Amino acid sequence: MNDGGQRRFGPLGTTLVIIPTYNEAENIGPIVARVRAAVPEAHILIADDNSPDGTGKLADELADGDEQIKVLHRKGKEGLGAAYLAGFRWGLDHGYGVLVEMDADGSHQPEELPRLLTALKNADLVLGSRWVPGGRVVNWPKHREILSRGGSTYSRLMLDLPLRDITGGYRAFRRETLEGLGMDEVASQGYCFQVDLAWRALKAGFHVVEVPITFVERAVGDSKMSRDIVAEALWRVTTWGMGTRAAKVGKALGLG
């Protein structure tokens, strides 16, 4: 984490939990119910990418029965990063003070959200971390753990970041943090999207903390991870890292 110093943090405001969906018909009802039970005062935005399995319709039915549930219908599948960015903009436009990233498949346990929100009282961004003391994964195949740990380690070394779980997607942002990240410049998707936002937050001087979470592999549906997502992450992090190193060398030589 970076040093928050003696800075005083303002009140959090209303929380919006953003849940992107694509073919999550079997998961959306249970995860929404768990969020409502865990943090009753929070609102939920389901950002559906025109799921062919009817997830969007189910989301509308949930919203019809609960004024704290909102639905953002998107034209099609454009990637996790694009869905979250659309959700962030919607939340900022509607005045929410805290915006939370949460998967629809139950891997991010809503019951742990109060821990993230408590930590956010003295931070700008809170990351739910699998790789700090107390964090863990459940029912993950070994290759997925190696990929995740390796991705975070590579990103940390290439970008010189003090974070242990840079690729994780369970996060809570203050609205001021998102407003200061230059979201219009974010083009990365999926796995790399999370690295991008954490890196931007630290570069902008925001106070970022990690709290331990238990990540549970989805029981229903298919993972959205793909070779293309991993390849994009590797390419972008390498490019960013080399650019950062070149800039540091140039500055040391008095060229920048």
Side-chain angles (χ1 to χ4, degrees):
M1 69 182 70
N2 63 325
D3 186 5
Q6 300 301 312
R7 177 181 155 201
R8 289 188 176 183
F9 293 88
L12 294 178
T14 303
T15 296
L16 179 69
V17 179
I18 302 168
I19 304 178
T21 57
Y22 184 78
N23 287 349
E24 297 287 359
E26 294 177 281
N27 290 317
I28 190 60
I31 196 67
V32 165
R34 289 173 64 187
V35 173
R36 295 290 285 115
V39 189
E41 68 276 14
H43 291 199
I44 298 169
L45 175 66
I46 302 168
D48 185 65
D49 278 4
N50 197 22
S51 298
D53 74 343
T55 302
K57 182 176 184 296
L58 292 174
D60 285 336
E61 292 172 357
L62 291 170
D64 286 343
D66 188 335
E67 63 180 10
Q68 288 179 225
I69 300 172
K70 317 295 180 181
V71 184
L72 176 62
H73 290 284
R74 291 165 39 77
K75 293 181 179 179
K77 188 177 182 183
E78 299 177 354
L80 183 67
Y84 271 129
L85 288 172
F88 290 155
R89 293 187 181 101
W90 189 96
L92 294 176
D93 287 345
H94 287 78
Y96 288 93
V98 175
L99 297 99
V100 174
E101 296 183 21
M102 182 183 290
D103 285 351
D105 60 15
S107 56
H108 300 151
Q109 299 188 86
E111 295 76 16
E112 295 184 317
L113 181 54
R115 184 187 308 158
L116 274 69
L117 296 178
T118 296
L120 194 63
K121 292 178 180 179
N122 294 297
D124 297 300
L125 166 60
V126 174
L127 311 181
S129 179
R130 299 158 290 187
W131 313 131
V132 296
R136 65 190 185 108
V137 296
V138 176
N139 297 330
W140 241 16
K142 196 63 179 179
H143 75 274
R144 284 292 303 278
E145 181 174 347
I146 292 172
L147 179 64
S148 179
R149 284 184 179 273
S152 278
T153 299
Y154 183 73
S155 299
R156 184 171 69 249
L157 294 175
M158 286 298 295
L159 303 176
D160 192 25
L161 301 178
L163 305 173
R164 305 301 299 180
D165 192 350
I166 307 171
T167 62
Y170 197 4
R171 303 179 168 193
F173 297 80
R174 286 179 177 264
R175 68 171 293 121
E176 297 84 2
T177 307
L178 286 172
E179 290 171 337
L181 292 187
M183 288 193 298
D184 290 341
E185 301 170 7
V186 176
S188 50
Q189 302 295 327
Y191 206 59
C192 194
F193 173 77
Q194 309 298 359
V195 179
D196 195 351
L197 290 194
W199 187 39
R200 286 171 182 269
L202 288 168
K203 285 196 301 180
F206 288 115
H207 183 44
V208 182
V209 303
E210 295 182 273
V211 299
I213 62 166
T214 297
F215 182 97
V216 182
E217 175 68 335
R218 67 160 64 228
V220 177
D222 298 320
S223 171
K224 307 302 188 295
M225 183 62 66
S226 69
R227 289 183 180 181
D228 287 345
I229 290 174
V230 175
E232 184 215 10
L234 180 62
W235 172 70
R236 287 191 182 274
V237 169
T238 301
T239 301
W240 295 335
M242 296 302 290
T244 299
R245 281 167 167 71
K248 287 181 178 179
V249 171
K251 185 175 182 180
L253 295 176
L255 302 176

